[in-house]
Amino acid sequence: MRVSRRKALSSVLALGAATALLAGRVRSERASPPADRIRPPGALAEAAFLGACVRCGLCVRACPYDVLRLADLGEPVQAGTPYFVARDHACRMCDDIPCVPACPTGALDRSLVDVRKARMGVADLSDSRRCLSYTGAAYCHSCFQACPLKGEAIRMQQGRTDAGGLIRPVVDPDRCTGCGLCEQACLLEGDAAITVRAAHAVGA
Ligand code: SF4
Ligand code: SF4
Ligand code: SF4
């Protein structure tokens, strides 16, 4: 009888520890959303954004391109908060940025009136060893062509790369808005060679 009570007690403790671990994991995932979950233009810094956003979905409804979505329960972003994944649906950088004035709380900052000044994230040639231009496999400009700020946020730099290519895309992090159109346009199968890290992940 004493043994089975001890067993029962240790089972309860083990269950409690597992629950605490799981809760900790969920909390930490919510505290740092993955770098590929990008907030809409004008989003406040992540902690302030989470405090101000009331999960109403009005920004999502205002987006004419269905770029934004609200996180469901269990997703690695707080449930009900808006985000997009560039590889699937990049932000089109609308001139009138309709998602921003749709936000009733200022979680998306209304002082952003020039979409070129949005800082949703920063693109980077994160997997250069798969980039067709960088490796010389093809003369590819797809990411460059897709950029609304081509020649400013991204340029094709000539010069031999260490992988044998003759040209490569180079991003200016001070001009890049993080719209993700380059990532979406990358010709590679699966993951792109150029990817956007969300502002919350780069501390922008
Ligand atoms: S700027 Fe346009 S495309 Fe981008 S999230 Fe806002 S409404 Fe959607
Ligand atoms: S994310 Fe890509 S497409 Fe968008 S501004 Fe930056 S370099 Fe250009
Ligand atoms: S679209 Fe992709 S493969 Fe082509 S140059 Fe850009 S990063 Fe490289």
Side-chain angles (χ1 to χ4, degrees), residues 36-203:
D36 68 346
R37 304 306 206 269
I38 305 168
R39 297 299 188 193
L44 303 176
E46 186 68 7
F49 173 78
L50 291 177
C53 173
V54 290
R55 286 68 166 159
C56 63
L58 290 174
C59 56
V60 174
R61 281 170 52 187
C63 177
Y65 298 106
D66 290 334
V67 166
L68 301 175
R69 51 168 301 167
L70 287 185
D72 289 327
L73 272 175
E75 284 195 53
V77 173
Q78 275 203 12
T81 61
Y83 73 93
F84 66 95
V85 174
R87 189 64 166 153
D88 299 336
H89 296 287
C91 169
R92 308 289 188 89
M93 284 180 59
C94 307
D95 283 341
D96 54 348
I97 334 178
C99 50
V100 171
C103 174
T105 69
L108 304 183
D109 186 353
R110 286 185 181 223
S111 69
L112 178 70
V113 289
D114 179 357
V115 73
R116 298 160 63 95
K117 297 206 165 107
R119 292 294 177 266
M120 295 171 268
V122 181
D124 177 51
L125 190 62
S126 50
D127 197 357
S128 59
R129 295 288 160 168
R130 289 175 61 239
C131 168
L132 300 172
S133 286
Y134 195 93
T135 56
Y139 195 67
C140 175
H141 284 60
S142 185
C143 52
F144 172 80
Q145 290 298 345
C147 179
L149 301 176
K150 60 173 88 54
E152 300 173 44
I154 191 170
R155 62 195 167 82
M156 297 303 292
Q157 179 174 298
Q158 299 203 348
R160 187 168 287 280
T161 72
D162 59 7
L166 297 175
I167 196 164
R168 74 184 86 176
V170 174
V171 173
D172 181 345
D174 293 330
R175 303 300 299 275
C176 174
T177 66
C179 68
L181 285 164
C182 54
E183 180 176 339
Q184 183 174 285
C186 179
L187 294 186
L188 296 180
E189 287 286 329
D191 293 339
I194 189 165
T195 54
V196 173
R197 283 175 63 78
H200 57 72
V202 294

